[in-house]
Amino acid sequence: MAKVVAEAEELPKAIVKRMLKEKLSQLSSDGDFSIHSEALLAFSESARVFIHYLSATANDICKESKRQTITADDVLNALEEIEFSELIEPLKASLDEFRKKNAEKKAGSANTKQVNKKRKAGQEAVTENEGDEGNKVNEKEDNADDNED
Amino acid sequence: MENNQQQGGSQSSAFPAAVVQPPYQHLLQQQQQQLQMFWNYQRQEIEQVNDFKNHQLPLARIKKIMKADEDVRMISAEAPILFAKACELFILELTIRSWLHAEENKRRTLQKNDIAAAITRTDIFDFLVDIVPRDEIKDEAPGGVPFYYSPMGQPAPPGVMIGRPVLDPAAAGVYVQPPSQAWQSVWQTADDGSFGGVNGGAGSGESNLDSES
């Protein structure tokens, strides 16, 4: 069964609708608004095409620099190119937040590993002192391993 | 005439109650309204910055959409994140402009032709011109936008939208380049009082668009 036409992936309707509702409730002075279903579709399609447009531009920029992987900078430069520069500042802020959180996560898990290593060493020392290496050491090591992510 | 209609009609709470005003007062009110909208946007922006955690648009889906373009090969991990946010902001922008059109026509329901109008009115949305076709040219508020987008500054006949003008500030008369945010250019209004006059110029004095090559 050959697939003749590849379906275009769409953005999830519910999420787009939620975004619209949030914004419209701010924009409308009395909170009274509704969205025609065709309009919702138009938004989703527009957003999808925007993704294509932006990624094609970012891709071009990436290739010009003889690279293979589209980076965040490529995307930001692409925005400038397609004259959506107003988006750049908020996006940079968002990106910084993301990078920070990522760094924290990594630091967090690195710390956990350190703590577990120390714990292991401490436990081994204790069990050695007790002179009962065998099972106890293994148990404790197993527990320590369980704690490590 | 339109001015009064807009004042009496579906305007935001920025408008004071008075209806009959000398033109000067009217301009002040418009400025107030613009400012209010501008600050609404700013607030929204700030909220969004803090809100990045709920990646509303699914990254996997975005990646799939990106990869539908065979030319696109490898994507860094950060790129879909930027795309999700950019998409969101884009949708919000489109929403604002579409809503303006709906309000101009005294409607509370956002319709497809509102989006089509927003696309036609905004230079940087040119790439969408075939996506949301403008089948019925329904500009119920005449004299709204076409004025901005005709070359030489002559008003185009109603319903005719010219997508890629060279904006001549002298002729257009109202293209003021604000010192700070390019967003303020969104809220420019025409002399005739229509606040649908949006131009998407991104921070440059004259938008000489060549967005599609």
Side-chain angles (χ1 to χ4, degrees):
Chain A
M1 197 167 63
K3 216 181 189 186
V4 180
V5 173
E7 283 180 15
E9 291 281 349
E10 285 182 12
L11 292 170
K13 272 198 205 147
I15 297 184
V16 175
K17 196 167 189 182
R18 195 206 315 152
M19 286 183 185
L20 292 178
K21 282 183 158 174
E22 268 182 46
K23 190 60 183 173
L24 287 174
S25 63
Q26 291 170 14
L27 290 174
S28 90
S29 45
D30 52 3
D32 176 26
F33 63 86
S34 68
I35 309 167
H36 195 254
S37 61
E38 274 191 341
L40 178 58
L41 196 58
F43 275 105
S44 296
E45 279 298 284
S46 302
R48 185 177 64 78
V49 174
F50 174 72
I51 291 177
H52 282 306
Y53 184 32
L54 184 60
S55 50
T57 312
N59 197 37
D60 286 344
I61 292 178
C62 175
K63 286 187 164 171
E64 273 173 33
S65 320
K66 309 275 205 281
R67 280 180 284 105
Q68 304 297 326
T69 311
I70 298 180
T71 64
D73 275 337
D74 291 332
V75 179
L76 292 172
N77 288 330
L79 282 168
E80 185 87 55
E81 175 116 355
I82 61 175
E83 309 206 23
F84 275 87
S85 344
E86 318 93 84
L87 304 191
I88 293 183
E89 285 313 314
L91 284 182
K92 275 189 177 163
S94 223
L95 185 62
D96 286 342
E97 282 267 349
F98 171 73
R99 286 174 171 166
K100 241 194 298 178
K101 299 249 167 178
N102 243 17
E104 280 171 22
K105 244 194 262 173
K106 287 189 179 160
S109 64
N111 280 343
T112 313
K113 285 190 176 146
Q114 282 288 12
V115 166
N116 284 345
K117 272 192 194 158
K118 287 184 183 167
R119 203 181 297 154
K120 248 197 195 174
Q123 285 165 352
E124 283 176 15
V126 166
T127 52
E128 274 174 17
N129 286 343
E130 288 179 1
D132 186 8
E133 289 188 17
N135 289 338
K136 269 196 183 161
V137 169
N138 286 340
E139 261 181 330
K140 293 212 165 102
E141 279 186 357
D142 280 345
N143 286 341
D145 284 339
D146 284 344
N147 288 340
E148 272 191 37
D149 279 347
Chain B
M1 247 187 342
E2 282 158 63
N3 300 344
N4 289 337
Q5 279 175 5
Q6 282 186 356
Q7 281 180 19
S10 56
Q11 278 324 306
S12 68
S13 50
F15 264 126
V19 173
V20 176
Q21 307 232 337
Y24 163 75
Q25 281 296 320
H26 178 66
L27 282 179
L28 280 185
Q29 282 173 7
Q30 281 190 335
Q31 277 180 5
Q32 273 178 14
Q33 184 196 6
Q34 286 175 33
L35 279 174
Q36 170 130 17
M37 285 180 161
F38 172 68
W39 286 114
N40 277 345
Y41 172 79
Q42 290 296 325
R43 183 175 40 85
Q44 170 84 358
E45 197 182 296
I46 291 166
E47 284 166 12
Q48 283 171 0
V49 169
N50 294 333
D51 185 24
F52 100 99
K53 267 187 294 190
N54 327 334
H55 277 143
Q56 313 216 35
L57 293 167
L59 300 182
R61 192 78 60 93
I62 290 179
K63 240 185 167 176
K64 274 196 201 155
I65 294 177
M66 286 173 76
K67 296 212 118 196
D69 180 355
E70 285 170 359
D71 232 22
V72 172
R73 299 284 167 76
M74 300 207 285
I75 307 167
S76 82
E78 294 178 326
I81 304 228
L82 280 184
F83 269 88
K85 202 67 190 176
C87 233
E88 197 179 322
L89 294 175
F90 166 77
I91 289 174
L92 295 180
E93 233 206 280
L94 191 53
T95 308
I96 294 172
R97 292 166 197 249
S98 307
W99 180 250
L100 286 182
H101 186 261
E103 279 198 320
E104 278 170 23
N105 299 320
K106 299 195 180 27
R107 275 184 282 102
R108 293 305 206 199
T109 305
L110 212 55
Q111 293 174 356
K112 194 174 88 158
N113 71 320
D114 294 322
I115 299 159
I119 289 171
T120 341
R121 287 176 176 184
T122 316
D123 288 351
I124 58 178
F125 289 169
D126 275 358
F127 68 97
L128 290 171
V129 117
D130 294 327
I131 306 300
V132 187
R134 192 117 196 250
D135 25 36
E136 335 101 71
I137 311 293
K138 249 196 222 169
D139 237 342
E140 293 139 70
V145 168
F147 181 73
Y148 280 110
Y149 296 101
S150 44
M152 314 304 168
Q154 283 171 11
V160 175
M161 300 296 187
I162 300 162
R164 223 172 292 178
V166 175
L167 284 181
D168 178 359
V174 291
Y175 189 120
V176 173
Q177 184 52 40
S180 53
Q181 296 289 327
W183 268 118
Q184 285 183 3
S185 65
V186 168
W187 312 118
Q188 287 301 318
T189 60
D191 285 335
D192 63 2
S194 156
F195 65 92
V198 288
N199 49 62
S204 58
E206 272 160 276
S207 61
N208 193 348
L209 244 219
D210 202 12
S211 56
E212 289 168 357
S213 46

